[in-house]
């Protein structure tokens, strides 16, 4: 049975249940490495001196310290600290980010010695590498050290370009009353590349689930990035993009250059590089997974009362090579974030024709144009190449072959658009686990 999504015990119970179900297959005895992905900015506080006991319950990806805290003074103090110290347009300024949650926890009640922030993926990885608590044992036996990764730590303020905790973050935490935050391990002591070995499974986990005792645990990732790995692979080429056609539209594109614009929700994840340069040394060139998300998406189709059967039938009668004369911007409500940040932007779904087929044609073309404009915006911000070479599609909208052809025509520039074969985050995490050893 599924427990609450914001309960750490439920996470571990789910992991253990899945592993236990796999034991009879015999596959676990061949495991070489394991990787965990978790929702971005979902985190909790643990006691590293007491076997990783949870001290502050999880605050998930959608927890906004600006609106969800009962103590409004704490919310104000947290936002003031972010405004004072976080660089302009930095993604760590988000009030749903893990840095905001860390500051808020300390504002609510000062952090104690041994308390450390742990992301959802970090917590699962720690479970896989840890023995059970030994009663009466000292700190060395029951001590825990949090390992994290570039992707999960981005919204905590980690400098993914220089691979370090920046001075402004240390100053921010000290200003909030947390003395010596790096030495104390308030933030993860180890921040690895996704897919980089950070430890091995514990003896108890290995024996319980018949996993080799030398199986490696690697740096994790976020669910959305894991979905990119699933679609494009862990060794994707620059110029590969993935578009998610769910309730909203989100794009990610692999770029040679770092891109950031927090005003439009655009930021860059450092993409792990596996393999060697021609001289036999490990590649040092950084590659970036850049992306943004629009408020436009498939949710508008339900809002306009299109049934699944109707979408299938009408799509068969639409010529993807023919342009609709209807110029829509199909938001479900006021406000857009990407490719244009405009909180006052209104939906454009007029004029509405009598024909439902023509109406659907106009809406799908409107969403396609937002996707194209999103890639154009990333290029204008400095993404390289300016337009992707290949766009892989996932989400419910990816099942519409006619729309895929329409989107390819609207994007133009020789870009190939097709449905991704795999999109599950769990599959992407598995590819990431295997990449170091393949």
């Amino acid at each position: 049975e599924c427990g609450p999504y914001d309960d750490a015990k439920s996470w571990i119970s789910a992991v253990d249940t899945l592993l236990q179900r796999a034991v009879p297959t015999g596959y676990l005895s061949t495991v070489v490495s394991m990787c965990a992905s978790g929702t971005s900015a979902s985190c909790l506080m643990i006691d590293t001196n007491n076997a990783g006991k949870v001290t502050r319950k999880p605050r998930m990806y959608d927890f906004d310290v600006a609106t969800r805290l009962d103590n409004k003074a704490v919310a104000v103090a947290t936002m003031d600290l972010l405004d004072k110290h976080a660089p302009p347009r930095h993604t760590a300024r988000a009030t749903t980010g893990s840095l905001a949650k860390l500051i808020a926890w300390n504002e609510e009640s000062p952090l104690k010695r041994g308390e450390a922030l742990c992301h959802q993926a970090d917590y699962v990885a720690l479970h896989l590498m840890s023995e059970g608590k030994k009663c009466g044992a000292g700190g060395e036996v029951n001590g825990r050290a949090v390992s994290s990764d570039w992707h999960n730590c981005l919204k905590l303020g980690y400098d993914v370009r220089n691979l370090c905790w920046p001075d402004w973050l240390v100053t921010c935490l000290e200003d909030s009353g947390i003395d010596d935050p790096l030495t104390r391990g308030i933030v993860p002591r180890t921040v690895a590349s996704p897919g980089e070995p950070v430890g091995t499974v514990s003896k108890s986990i290995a024996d319980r689930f018949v996993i080799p005792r030398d199986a490696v645990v690697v740096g994790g990732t976020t669910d959305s990035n894991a979905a990119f790995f699933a679609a494009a692979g862990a060794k994707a080429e620059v110029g590969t993009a993935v578009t998610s056609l769910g309730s909203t539209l989100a794009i990610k594109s692999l770029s040679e250059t770092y891109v950031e614009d927090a005003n439009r929700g655009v930021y860059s994840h450092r993409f792990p590089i596996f393999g060697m340069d021609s001289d036999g040394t490990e590649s040092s060139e950084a590659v970036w997974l850049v992306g943004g998300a629009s408020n436009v998406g498939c949710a508008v189709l339900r809002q306009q009362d299109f049934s699944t059967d109707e979408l299938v039938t009408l799509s068969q009668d639409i010529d993807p090579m023919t342009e609709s004369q209807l110029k829509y911007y199909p938001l479900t409500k006021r406000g857009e974030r990407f490719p244009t940040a405009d909180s006052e932007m209104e939906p454009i779904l007029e004029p509405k024709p009598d024909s439902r087929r023509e109406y659907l044609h106009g809406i799908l073309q409107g969403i396609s144009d937002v996707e194209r404009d999103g890639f154009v915006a990333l290029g204008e911000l400095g993404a390289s190449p300016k337009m992707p070479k290949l766009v892989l599609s996932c989400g419910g909208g990816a099942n519409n072959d006619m729309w895929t052809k329409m989107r390819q025509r609207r994007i133009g520039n020789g870009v190939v658009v097709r449905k991704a074969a795999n999109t599950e985050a769990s599959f992407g995490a598995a590819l990431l686990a295997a990449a170091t050893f393949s």
Side-chain angles (χ1 to χ4, degrees):
E1 294 183 0
C2 295
Y5 84 127
D6 60 349
D7 176 53
K9 289 182 180 179
S10 295
W11 304 344
I12 300 307
S13 176
V15 170
D16 288 353
T17 297
L18 290 171
L19 290 174
Q20 192 62 56
R21 288 177 182 172
V23 170
T25 68
Y27 293 144
L28 294 183
S29 65
T30 65
V31 166
V32 174
S33 56
M34 305 177 76
C35 176
S37 73
T39 48
S40 178
S42 292
C43 53
L44 70 164
M45 300 297 295
I46 66 170
D47 186 348
T48 58
N49 294 328
N50 189 18
K53 179 181 178 181
V54 176
T55 58
R56 323 249 179 156
K57 67 172 290 188
R59 285 178 171 168
M60 302 301 287
Y61 63 93
D62 57 352
F63 187 98
D64 190 330
V65 300
T67 60
R68 295 276 297 277
L69 293 175
D70 293 331
N71 188 332
K72 298 307 176 186
V74 168
V76 171
T78 299
M79 291 185 287
D80 284 348
L81 283 163
L82 289 173
D83 287 341
K84 180 179 178 182
H85 295 286
R89 302 197 297 178
H90 196 289
T91 188
R93 296 175 69 91
T95 52
T96 54
S98 40
L99 178 57
K101 291 161 188 170
L102 174 60
I103 295 171
W105 271 317
N106 187 67
E107 290 291 328
E108 290 172 325
S109 177
L111 301 183
K112 297 178 181 178
R113 289 283 170 179
E115 279 195 285
L117 184 135
C118 195
H119 297 100
Q120 187 178 46
D122 309 340
Y123 190 74
V124 171
L126 189 63
H127 167 67
L128 295 174
M129 295 187 290
S130 299
E131 300 291 349
K133 180 180 179 181
K134 291 181 169 54
C135 295
E140 287 189 13
V141 174
N142 287 322
R144 300 288 186 267
V146 178
S147 297
S148 192
D149 61 86
W150 300 341
H151 295 170
N152 277 290
C153 285
L154 181 67
K155 293 181 181 178
L156 186 55
Y158 189 72
D159 185 340
V160 291
R161 283 180 281 190
N162 296 304
L163 301 180
C164 64
W165 293 109
D167 291 342
W168 69 259
L169 174 72
V170 175
T171 302
C172 177
L173 295 178
E174 289 177 341
D175 196 14
S176 73
I178 303 173
D179 62 295
D180 210 9
L182 300 188
T183 303
R184 286 172 58 182
I186 299 293
V187 294
R189 294 182 183 277
T190 300
V191 182
S193 165
E196 178 185 349
V198 295
T200 55
V201 295
S202 66
K203 179 180 179 297
S204 59
I205 289 289
D207 293 349
R208 179 181 173 189
F209 299 114
V210 199
I211 298 171
R213 291 188 180 179
D214 60 352
V216 171
V217 177
V218 303
T221 185
T222 60
D223 280 351
S224 62
N225 285 349
F228 182 94
F229 292 125
K235 300 180 181 180
E237 295 183 358
V238 168
T240 301
V242 172
T243 294
S244 175
L245 296 166
S247 297
T248 58
L249 181 150
I251 63 174
K252 288 181 180 287
S253 187
L254 205 54
S255 167
E256 294 177 336
T257 49
Y258 179 93
V259 172
E260 184 177 58
D261 184 354
N263 291 337
R264 289 191 274 183
V266 174
Y267 51 87
S268 296
H269 280 287
R270 190 169 184 138
F271 197 79
I273 300 296
F274 302 99
M276 301 292 179
D277 286 333
S278 57
D279 61 0
T281 60
E282 186 173 335
S283 176
S284 59
E285 290 295 321
V287 180
W288 304 97
L289 188 56
V290 305
S294 170
N295 289 335
V296 164
C298 296
V300 73
L301 299 173
R302 297 305 184 204
Q303 185 189 57
Q304 300 302 314
D305 297 322
F306 284 99
S307 68
T308 299
D309 289 343
E310 191 179 17
L311 290 171
V312 172
T313 302
L314 294 178
S315 293
Q316 292 172 348
D317 293 332
I318 294 173
D319 180 359
M321 299 297 114
T322 299
E323 178 158 349
S324 169
Q325 297 306 305
L326 300 168
K327 307 301 180 185
Y328 293 154
Y329 202 96
L331 291 163
T332 58
K333 58 184 179 181
R334 177 191 298 176
E336 178 60 301
R337 49 182 172 162
F338 176 81
T340 300
D342 183 355
S343 61
E344 299 302 316
M345 182 181 288
E346 295 284 355
I348 300 175
L349 288 164
E350 298 286 347
K352 187 173 181 178
D354 294 333
S355 166
R356 294 283 282 174
R357 178 186 60 80
E358 291 180 18
Y359 192 38
L360 177 61
H361 190 170
I363 291 174
L364 295 182
Q365 180 174 287
I367 299 173
S368 302
D369 289 350
V370 172
E371 177 187 19
R372 176 201 61 211
D373 293 346
F375 287 123
V376 170
L378 294 181
E380 290 173 347
L381 287 169
S384 177
K386 285 185 173 295
M387 291 294 286
K389 303 170 186 175
L390 170 66
V391 177
L392 297 167
S393 311
C394 59
N399 296 318
N400 190 323
D401 292 336
M402 180 283 300
W403 195 14
T404 298
K405 294 175 183 177
M406 180 192 294
R407 290 168 46 228
Q408 178 168 297
R409 182 176 67 85
R410 302 302 290 184
I411 294 174
N413 296 289
V415 178
V416 176
V417 180
R418 66 170 184 256
K419 181 181 178 181
N422 297 288
T423 59
E424 290 293 330
S426 55
F427 184 78
L431 289 180
L432 194 53
T436 297
F437 303 95
S438 61

